[in-house]
Amino acid sequence: MTDLANAKEQLTQASRQNNEPAQLLERRLAARELMEKLRLPRMQRFKFHDWPLIADRPLRWVESATDLEQLAPDDEVIRVTQVGQTTVNIHIPEKLRAAGVILTDIFTAAREHSDLFNRYFMTAIKADENLLTAYHLAYLNAGLFLYVPKNVVIEKPIEAELVQDNTQAEPLISHILVIADRGSEVKFIQHLTTVGEQSNPANMMIELIARDNSEIDFSSLDEFGAQTHTYFKRRADIGRDAHVEWAVGLMNDGDTVGDMDSELLGEGGYANSKMIAVTTRQQEVGVNNRVTNHGKHTTGLINQRGVILENSELIFNGIGQIIHGAHGAKADQQNRVLIMSDQARGDANPILLIDENDVEAGHAASVGPVDPHQMYYLMSRGIPRKQAERMVIRGFLGAVLSAIPAADVRQKLVDILERKLTDGQQYQ
């Protein structure tokens, strides 16, 4: 048999071993065929095509050993923990289950909630977009599914702890699908971490489906280890008068490339995409952050702020696009980068693609060192230089830090930030 035939036979066996429905297997096999034709995604002014983003291993199912404590039976906590492919716990209050909220792993959703799964899974992100999206579907091995029914408001954030298991030679290929039906509201927070020292790729995708008049606040604390090469793709399809907020702290220690997209499809939709990133050592990070106004009177905002230390590299591309016919649309973006080392490399590229006259659009970009006047003010009051630098950086990143909805998660991001800054300053 050819290599493709062998790969498809192996995928078939693995899918059946996992008791997957026939439709998911068919989609896996079609995606594997696409891998023979597609290329890696492109990113302006950033090279990553020699990174090991595809594991040369078959799809297999492995259990991850974990000593994580089980959650106390607190009826107010909404939380899910996955270590590698292993779902450690899912806790959702009974009153939300009774209201029709579904929170489960991605494969249980495919088996037990097939109508919703087949209707929405990989519809915002398409398998044929590039080689890594096809690879994602073909070799998917973990993930979560959340459905919030019409007019259901979940007051407390849903917290997802996703741990990459680098004690084993196994990639993490994870998909989170969040569906907010008409008039519903939900806050979702994910925390990405790594255990173990083996080198593995992580292919992480998120689809947010915000139907008419719904609201999704999605926060992410990305903290993968230095041995992980990460590709992420996060996209929201936003309906009429729907509202999506992204707040991302990109604090991985390994090389990272990815896309964030907000598609404003319905009239009156709103998207605010906020991200902070800190790079250290020899790290390379490249991000496309795009908001596309399709609907009339939609608003798309981007706010990216980055700090580059040591010999690292950070590229921010902010892309605001207004499609022809999107009358009354608004697009605004800020892309700002602090360079803290003579050896660091960085850029902030604002891109506006406007195909309509009756719109408002603007952008701002800056790349440079810490403001010397701010430093002088703090140091003149007896604050040591390195501490003063961290204080200025904290203020610089404050617009995104303050957007994290849960106070304990916000503090966790601040702690991660302090660690990365302190480590990076040791070598300046």
Side-chain angles (χ1 to χ4, degrees), residues 42 56 67 93 96 107 149 174 180 183 191 250 274 333 359 408:
R42 298 177 60 187
D56 187 19
D67 58 359
L96 292 180
F107 299 115
S174 176
H191 183 202
L250 196 58
K274 301 177 289 295
Q333 60 172 288
V359 299
D408 59 335

Side-chain angles (χ1 to χ4, degrees), residues 38-263:
L38 297 174
R39 297 184 178 183
L40 290 168
R42 298 177 60 187
M43 178 163 294
Q44 184 175 348
R45 303 183 185 180
F46 189 73
K47 296 180 180 179
F48 63 94
H49 291 76
D50 58 345
W51 292 7
L53 292 171
I54 293 179
D56 187 19
R57 288 189 288 279
L59 175 64
R60 66 189 187 119
W61 308 107
V62 298
E63 290 288 329
S64 291
T66 174
D67 58 359
L68 291 176
E69 295 180 1
Q70 296 295 316
L71 290 174
D74 181 352
D75 195 48
E76 297 303 315
V77 173
I78 315 172
R79 187 175 298 161
V80 55
T81 304
Q82 286 187 335
V83 180
Q85 302 171 17
T86 303
T87 301
V88 178
N89 49 53
I90 297 177
H91 182 78
I92 180 170
E94 184 55 39
K95 63 182 179 182
L96 292 180
R97 291 186 188 276
V101 175
I102 302 168
L103 177 61
T104 187
D105 70 90
I106 198 76
F107 299 115
T108 297
R111 289 188 291 266
E112 299 181 5
H113 307 284
S114 57
D115 288 349
L116 286 168
F117 180 85
N118 293 332
R119 181 177 178 183
Y120 292 110
F121 174 67
M122 290 204 75
T123 57
I125 299 172
K126 305 292 196 301
D128 61 1
E129 292 186 28
N130 60 62
L131 175 58
L132 295 178
T133 54
Y135 171 65
H136 179 87
L137 176 52
Y139 290 91
L140 179 71
N141 62 16
L144 299 171
F145 175 92
L146 172 66
Y147 171 70
V148 186
K150 294 178 183 178
N151 301 317
V152 172
V153 176
I154 302 179
E155 298 288 350
K156 296 203 171 208
I158 296 172
E159 300 180 23
E161 192 79 20
L162 306 183
V163 183
Q164 181 193 29
D165 184 0
N166 275 359
T167 66
Q168 307 185 64
E170 203 66 41
L172 179 60
I173 306 172
S174 176
H175 194 101
I176 294 179
L177 173 57
V178 177
I179 306 160
D181 216 329
R182 293 183 179 90
S184 65
E185 296 180 19
V186 63
K187 299 178 179 65
F188 193 103
I189 300 168
Q190 73 166 7
H191 183 202
L192 308 179
T193 56
T194 300
V195 295
E197 299 297 329
Q198 294 209 42
S199 296
N200 283 306
N203 185 307
M204 312 294 292
M205 295 197 183
I206 295 165
E207 291 183 292
L208 306 183
I209 310 297
R211 303 198 66 196
D212 295 354
N213 296 294
S214 67
E215 184 172 327
I216 302 176
D217 289 1
F218 195 101
S219 304
S220 184
L221 282 64
D222 298 11
E223 197 184 1
F224 279 148
Q227 303 305 316
T228 299
H229 284 81
T230 302
Y231 173 70
F232 70 85
K233 196 169 187 68
R234 300 165 180 173
R235 181 171 293 160
D237 277 0
I238 305 169
R240 183 185 182 95
D241 294 320
H243 186 126
V244 169
E245 296 266 0
W246 299 95
V248 175
L250 196 58
M251 302 290 165
N252 294 335
D253 288 330
D255 294 339
T256 302
V257 63
D259 297 283
M260 286 180 55
D261 298 307
S262 300
E263 300 288 334

